[in-house]
Amino acid sequence: MKEFFSPSELIALKLPDMPTTDRAIQLMAERENWRDPAREWSPENTGGTWRRRAGRGGGHEYRYDVLPTRAKRKLLLAQRREGTQDARAAKKAGLQRDALWDWFERLPAARQEKARDRLAALEAVADLIASGRQRDVAMMHIAAEKKVALRTLYNWAELVAGVPRADWLPHLQPRHAGRLTTAEYSEEAWEFFRSNYLTQSERSAAYVYRDLLKIAAEQGWSVPSRKTLERRLAKVDTAQKVFLRKGAEALKRLFPAQERDRSALHALEAVNADGHKCDVFVKWPDGQVSRPILVGFQDIYSGKVLSWRVDRTENLDLVRLAFADLVETYGVPDHVLLDNGRAFASKKITGGIANRFRFKVKAEEPEGIMKALGCQVHWATPYHGQSKPIERAWRDLAHAIGRDVRFEGAWTGNTVEAKPENYGSKAIPLDVFLPVAAERILEHNARLGRASKICGGKLSFDQAFAASYETSLITKPHEAALRKLLLSSELVSVRQESGSVYLDGNRYWAEFLLGERGRKVTLRFDPDALHQPVHVYRPDGAYLGKADCLEAVGFFSTDAARSHARALGDFLKKSKAAAIAGQRLTLAEQAALLPKIEAPEPPDAKVIRPFIATRGNAALAINPANSAEEDQSFWTDFNRSAARLSVVRNEDGAGD
């Protein structure tokens, strides 16, 4: 805001209570002592109310503080209003300048070239003037050189008169109005053309225009040419046209996908998983032919496919085994991005984790394996492949696996319309398909020159993962946690005679099973590796140990017989040694420890019953003095009677 004013400036403002002539103001200043020497303004006395006027003519200037109250109030209001108007004008000019440049930048390059030619001509005129030529002479020289009329060159100069040099270019741009007249036609005709064209049937403009002509003839509408309607249709918002003709999904694709920076992560910090149906017919061991499902886990940081499994359907067991391979080989990831399929959202996989798409988290439900291992699960948007980076890997592998030369004749095509001529003519056995799929996935991970931000166009997924994995903090699970990731079989019985257990035709044995003969045990195993050891648990969940698979051998195999005899000898030797080592006391030492038993002394009889000998029916009197003689007589008589009886029996037998 301006603070000091000369008498002529005060007169021009026409302030109330102020004189209207220069002399009257000077007299007022003398009368009211405006020029008090003590109140002269200076850099040291910034509160001064007057100062000497700089410039030609001299004189004095007075600060608005010395003016009467009414005059001072009007001056301040006028100053504030003028300042606001100046700010608005400057802002408006800035907006006009921005709009002008925006309009110019939207023009085609061919039209912008005309403005640049005009600018070059005016700059050449300025250069001649700077070299000492008169303006009119410079104009004539440049007009002749550019082969334009002199009046035209002056008109160009008038377009930029008073315009800053930096803004000349858009001001010199020709403003052709273009086509100003349009054909007259009925608005109803346009509405029919627009509505009938913007449908998901995606009718052609020519087809819609033919229908319009038929209807217009009956309705009496005025119809322009098809080109006129198409030009008006081109001005309709692109998003509206895409939505009405293509649908919501096509409209969604117009919006740029979110680009997520993976460089802030490290190897195995986050993984994502999804299933993919391979475009190959595979023959399973039971003779069934179908397209296999491949479920894999991919490291988000590097893009490497870390683990994968194949089955007929996308099921819980398939996801569980693929995740078990990942954890066993590399470790436990911190974050897991999962698809919303039922196999991934199963309670056994993600139990206890909130999921807004399926199920509810209940307090009594058991923890899923991912929550038990401490993984934070995230759910991808359904039917939105951009939210899962592994979809890009599946696209590459679908081509590499499905169209492998070894699968010629088994490829199904990636769409219904893309079925090959030899569709269904061949099915690849599973034991042939799996090695080829493994080979292609290894090649996918090892291919150099990946264009991702992490690989930088030089590294492979394997190299990027290894470089970060070596320097990252990795969580390795305990072996007990890994066993829980394996599948559980039904309870099986331990054979009474040998302690063996049988599973799908395979026999397993371990020494600890001898203590479980005749009982039930639970086996945890990998169904794709039944010849590997199985883990044995009691039905109550107590872990017993690992049991090895015992393979059947040839009937006359001497090598196998020797190996079996050697293993049997080792078992017997070890068992005998353990049994002997367990016997800490020898037989003699055990016998010496047995207590000696002595016969006890007979007790004295307190009450004695008298013995009375009888002969025939008459009782014999007891004579204590002759008891021994009577006993001798008794036995003599007894022997005589027995001898007599024997003779009688012999005689009877002889007589018979």
Side-chain angles (χ1 to χ4, degrees), residues 195-208 211 245:
S195 301
N196 204 267
Y197 179 81
L198 297 179
T199 60
Q200 293 191 15
S201 299
E202 298 188 37
R203 301 179 182 89
S204 66
Y207 181 87
V208 175
D211 286 349
R245 282 180 68 87

Side-chain angles (χ1 to χ4, degrees), residues 449-524:
R450 291 295 187 174
S452 67
K453 185 176 181 180
I454 303 301
C455 297
K458 298 179 180 179
L459 303 178
S460 66
F461 293 153
D462 280 334
Q463 293 171 336
F465 179 82
S468 176
Y469 186 82
E470 293 174 355
T471 59
S472 301
L473 183 62
I474 305 298
T475 302
K476 288 286 188 176
H478 190 269
E479 185 180 356
L482 289 176
R483 289 196 298 267
K484 291 183 179 179
L485 295 178
L486 298 176
L487 294 179
S488 298
S489 72
E490 297 293 334
L491 288 176
V492 297
S493 298
V494 181
R495 297 295 176 92
Q496 182 70 40
E497 63 277 5
S498 62
S500 301
V501 291
Y502 286 81
L503 177 66
D504 290 344
N506 296 301
R507 182 163 58 107
Y508 303 88
W509 183 85
E511 291 185 29
F512 61 82
L513 287 174
L514 295 175
E516 305 294 328
R517 291 181 301 170
R519 300 176 183 172
K520 295 282 189 179
V521 294
T522 300
L523 304 182
R524 290 185 181 272

Side-chain angles (χ1 to χ4, degrees), residues 406-577:
R406 288 162 286 189
F407 295 164
E408 183 64 28
W411 184 57
T412 63
N414 52 1
T415 63
V416 177
E417 295 81 7
K419 288 183 179 180
E421 186 68 24
N422 58 356
Y423 177 84
S425 62
K426 184 179 178 181
I428 305 300
L430 181 63
D431 57 353
V432 176
F433 172 81
L434 292 178
V436 175
E439 175 186 330
R440 289 302 185 180
I441 293 176
L442 291 175
E443 188 274 335
H444 172 82
N445 290 334
R447 192 185 312 155
L448 297 174
R450 291 295 187 174
S452 67
K453 185 176 181 180
I454 303 301
C455 297
K458 298 179 180 179
L459 303 178
S460 66
F461 293 153
D462 280 334
Q463 293 171 336
F465 179 82
S468 176
Y469 186 82
E470 293 174 355
T471 59
S472 301
L473 183 62
I474 305 298
T475 302
K476 288 286 188 176
H478 190 269
E479 185 180 356
L482 289 176
R483 289 196 298 267
K484 291 183 179 179
L485 295 178
L486 298 176
L487 294 179
S488 298
S489 72
E490 297 293 334
L491 288 176
V492 297
S493 298
V494 181
R495 297 295 176 92
Q496 182 70 40
E497 63 277 5
S498 62
S500 301
V501 291
Y502 286 81
L503 177 66
D504 290 344
N506 296 301
R507 182 163 58 107
Y508 303 88
W509 183 85
E511 291 185 29
F512 61 82
L513 287 174
L514 295 175
E516 305 294 328
R517 291 181 301 170
R519 300 176 183 172
K520 295 282 189 179
V521 294
T522 300
L523 304 182
R524 290 185 181 272
F525 62 95
D526 184 348
D528 293 337
L530 290 178
H531 290 85
Q532 297 293 327
V534 297
H535 298 278
V536 184
Y537 291 78
R538 288 198 182 99
D540 60 2
Y543 181 62
L544 296 176
K546 291 192 298 184
D548 294 325
C549 179
L550 303 179
E551 299 183 11
V553 299
F555 190 84
F556 294 105
S557 175
T558 56
D559 291 339
R562 282 194 295 267
S563 298
H564 181 268
R566 187 163 47 251
L568 176 60
D570 292 341
F571 168 69
L572 295 176
K573 182 178 179 180
K574 184 174 63 173
S575 299
K576 290 178 180 179

Side-chain angles (χ1 to χ4, degrees), residues 553-629:
V553 299
F555 190 84
F556 294 105
S557 175
T558 56
D559 291 339
R562 282 194 295 267
S563 298
H564 181 268
R566 187 163 47 251
L568 176 60
D570 292 341
F571 168 69
L572 295 176
K573 182 178 179 180
K574 184 174 63 173
S575 299
K576 290 178 180 179
I580 294 174
Q583 295 289 89
R584 299 191 178 185
L585 298 177
T586 64
L587 294 177
E589 290 173 341
Q590 295 178 38
L593 291 177
L594 293 175
K596 296 180 179 180
I597 302 175
E598 297 180 356
E601 296 182 357
D604 295 335
K606 301 299 183 180
V607 180
I608 299 175
R609 183 178 63 183
F611 178 78
I612 302 175
T614 60
R615 182 177 296 168
N617 292 330
L620 298 177
I622 297 177
N623 185 1
N626 300 324
S627 59
E629 296 177 358

